[in-house]
Amino acid sequence: ETQQIRRFVAQLHARGLGGRSLARMLSAWRGYFRWLGLRGEVENNPVDGVHAPKSPKALPKVLSPDEANRLLECVSNEAIELRDQAMFELFYSSGLRLAELASLDVSCLEDIAAGEVRVLGKRNKLRLVPVGSKAREAVAAWAQRRGELAPADQPALFVGQRGGRIHPRVIEQRLAQRALAKGLPAHVHPHMLRHSFASHVL
């Protein structure tokens, strides 16, 4: 019986039924045979050990090059906007993760000016990331105005309006607001910029 169920699942999969649909169907069958077992009508559950094929993972959404250019057009010369511009250019030109960007300190400015930045990534692995020319220019412009928001003893490169290290959630909100103001069609988040960077590099 188990072999018959496996063959039937394979046939349905070959006809185009997805892994999630097959998993739901197998779950229903498993429950039905469990019920029959409680009634004493079957000894073993033939669905036990039968698994649905995995559904392929959906590719992450990315911005087109035109959309990325629209998003990264500088909107004003205010300190907050220069900060945002520097953050978004770093996401796009360097493929930084959100936590990596939020954790950057002013001590990395020399490295960025030289075209690279060291970040502590997943599992505390240190990696060296190249920084593009537009990102270098945007970071330099922000560095000149950073003192308007950050107290002298603040080590964070990117700060919020109160002068403390910017929270990742604030970065997400600022990026979403920028995308909305630019009329972009989808909710834009930092990970989307990271994947857009990788897609456009390829």
Side-chain angles (χ1 to χ4, degrees), residues 60-65 67-72 84-98 101 171 174-176 178-179 184 187-201:
K61 291 181 179 178
V62 297
L63 298 172
S64 71
E67 288 172 332
N69 287 335
R70 245 164 70 205
L71 179 73
L72 295 173
D84 290 354
Q85 189 70 17
M87 293 191 304
F88 304 157
E89 285 284 4
L90 273 175
F91 273 135
Y92 183 65
S93 107
S94 304
L96 291 181
R97 295 184 177 93
L98 177 59
L101 185 129
I171 300 174
R174 295 293 296 181
L175 182 57
R178 168 79 75 93
L184 295 179
H187 170 61
V188 177
H189 49 83
H191 213 55
M192 183 183 288
L193 267 189
R194 174 174 159 79
H195 281 293
S196 299
F197 150 80
S199 174
H200 299 165
V201 165

Side-chain angles (χ1 to χ4, degrees), residues 3 13 21 60 101 111 116 136 147 160 171 184 196 199:
Q3 286 301 113
H13 187 53
S21 298
L101 185 129
D111 285 343
E116 60 188 27
R136 293 199 300 271
I171 300 174
L184 295 179
S196 299
S199 174

Side-chain angles (χ1 to χ4, degrees), residues 6-117:
R6 283 200 175 104
R7 277 197 298 271
F8 188 51
V9 167
Q11 287 171 2
L12 291 175
H13 187 53
R15 291 176 193 166
L17 201 64
R20 288 182 181 176
S21 298
L22 289 169
R24 283 194 298 270
M25 184 183 69
L26 285 171
S27 178
W29 286 356
R30 200 172 286 114
Y32 173 65
F33 280 106
R34 192 178 296 123
W35 177 76
L36 289 178
L38 291 173
R39 289 168 57 91
E41 297 185 27
V42 294
E43 290 185 9
N44 300 308
N45 192 329
V47 190
D48 284 344
V50 179
H51 301 288
K54 288 184 179 179
S55 296
K57 286 186 178 178
L59 291 174
K61 291 181 179 178
V62 297
L63 298 172
S64 71
D66 284 345
E67 288 172 332
N69 287 335
R70 245 164 70 205
L71 179 73
L72 295 173
E73 286 173 355
C74 196
V75 289
S76 85
N77 199 38
E78 293 181 11
I80 288 284
E81 296 295 348
L82 291 175
R83 179 205 65 190
D84 290 354
Q85 189 70 17
M87 293 191 304
F88 304 157
E89 285 284 4
L90 273 175
F91 273 135
Y92 183 65
S93 107
S94 304
L96 291 181
R97 295 184 177 93
L98 177 59
E100 292 170 347
L101 185 129
S103 68
L104 290 177
D105 288 335
V106 287
S107 57
C108 73
L109 282 172
E110 279 190 29
D111 285 343
I112 290 176
E116 60 188 27
V117 63

